[in-house]
Amino acid sequence: MGQGTPETLNIDIYIAQDMIQRPRGTRDFGPEEMEKRRWLEGVMRSTARGFGFGEVATPTFEHTELFALKSGPNIVDEIYAFQDKGGRDISLRPELTAPVIRFFVNDLSNTPRPLKVFYIGPCFRYERPQSGRYREFHQFGVELIGTKTPESDAEVIGLAARIMEAIGLKEFTIRIGHIGILRKMLSDAGLDPESSAAVLQKLDKKLYEEARPMMQAVGMEDDQIGSIFDLTEVCGEVSVLDEMEGEAIDHLKGVLDVLSSYGLENVQVDLGVVRGLDYYTGIVFEVEAPSLGAEKQVCGGGSYSLSELFGGERVFSTGFAIGFDRVLLALENEGLEIKFEGLDAFVIPVKDAQRIKAFEIVSMLRRSGVRADVDLMRRSLGKNFKYADSVGAKYAVIVGEKELDQDSVTVRDMGSGEQKLVSLQALAEFFI
Ligand code: HAM
């Protein structure tokens, strides 16, 4: 088939019309974006390590049952679930807490406690995509496994706050509550765990008028319902707890006491924090970045016990997950600028005769740790300068016949245009 025949033209048109797009709610990341993301990951990783946490990784997909057991109806509705070729029910993970606890039950239950782990990786939820809400997104999270003291909870919240500081997020608030208080009120009023979970899902979204008939249906009186609604509105300084008592309140006060030693100013008590996931039993907390508008929750966490559901003994843990993508958006809204590190040197042979020598030089520079690239398209000197400029190379290394006669090359500062002769022996050092 010759060029320009109707057949080839048809193929061209076919390709143009049906360009394959990425799935809804997913994103591609170019080199500059990835540089930012890797930087952010690096800060989070080293901050978590600095608190004594070690990194773990689990599979991207798990048996569906792992998430169906206790994550709550919101998550289960949003799961990407399918049957594999062996007929097994498999789900892409919507979060990493259940997988990490499964890992703990399978392999890590004999390690000294507390076990402090962190993770970073993609999660999948079939949600309605919008700014800050994706179907594939990334979480950076930690789990502190095997303890339920107030100081363990404070350690986790303190780390979340420290990470926000370390990445340079200026505006954020941490709201802390205790889900045990609401759970106890609902069970004292006669709700079974299933009805209680359904009501809590409504309270999480402050959908009081949807929660009310559910509570009335199980025989709750209006004043009981009213006092639960009032409790979810208790919010403010630590002093809002002064007149309150009970085991959960004492625990919460204990957490806040330890946190006060961190000198955090943006911590608020909020007994209305419910969380979308079902497995929390104790303190619950959320971090918000107001610059994000509707999807402002950049981190959520709390204490829970899941291991007994996965065949292990009952073990209490506390953790959080940061919405990595959201936190990056919040930083960008606050004007974060990460300088894209371009090349140190772009090596250009002046003529064909110097091509092999140019490769020798770029190879020597790369071995010495210089970020270097070389002309691969046999372009003219002028076009190579343009390309070097467009990829942000700081210097061009011009490999010409005359310079090579003196065992040297010409180094051109791409910013000022200044040029100087540098001997091959001193070239690597010139860049370091
Ligand atoms: P989560 O609140 O469901 O908690 O998710 C944690 C964070 O992930 C959210 O605060 C949000 O920033 C981010 N996120 C959630 N869904 C999306 C989405 N569709 N697009 C972008 N970002 C999103 C958990 O997942 C728990 N596993 C946290 C935890 C760890 N609790 C104890 N340990």
Side-chain angles (χ1 to χ4, degrees), residues 59-60 92-96 120-124 136-139 325:
T60 319
L92 299 184
R93 64 184 180 201
E95 57 116 37
L96 278 99
I120 179 154
C123 298
F124 307 86
E136 182 184 23
F137 61 99
H138 296 75
Q139 283 191 346
D325 311 85

Side-chain angles (χ1 to χ4, degrees), residues 22-23 25-41 120-124 132-139 323-329 332 340:
R22 57 173 187 260
T26 64
R27 285 147 309 145
D28 299 307
F29 304 110
E32 291 200 21
E33 187 65 20
M34 282 312 295
E35 190 125 327
K36 260 191 232 168
R37 296 176 73 87
R38 292 294 183 223
W39 165 80
L40 189 59
E41 268 180 49
I120 179 154
C123 298
F124 307 86
R133 183 189 288 236
Y134 313 101
R135 290 187 173 165
E136 182 184 23
F137 61 99
H138 296 75
Q139 283 191 346
F324 185 84
D325 311 85
R326 278 191 201 169
V327 111
L328 190 54
L329 277 179
E332 282 166 351
F340 182 58

Side-chain angles (χ1 to χ4, degrees), residues 340-351:
F340 182 58
E341 284 290 327
L343 291 172
D344 297 315
F346 188 75
V347 181
I348 311 171
V350 175
K351 295 221 171 91

Side-chain angles (χ1 to χ4, degrees), residues 347 349 353-362 399 404 407 424:
V347 181
Q354 289 90 45
R355 199 162 301 286
I356 297 300
K357 191 70 189 172
F359 277 93
E360 221 176 82
I361 291 170
V362 80
V399 186
L404 284 180
D407 277 334
L424 286 175

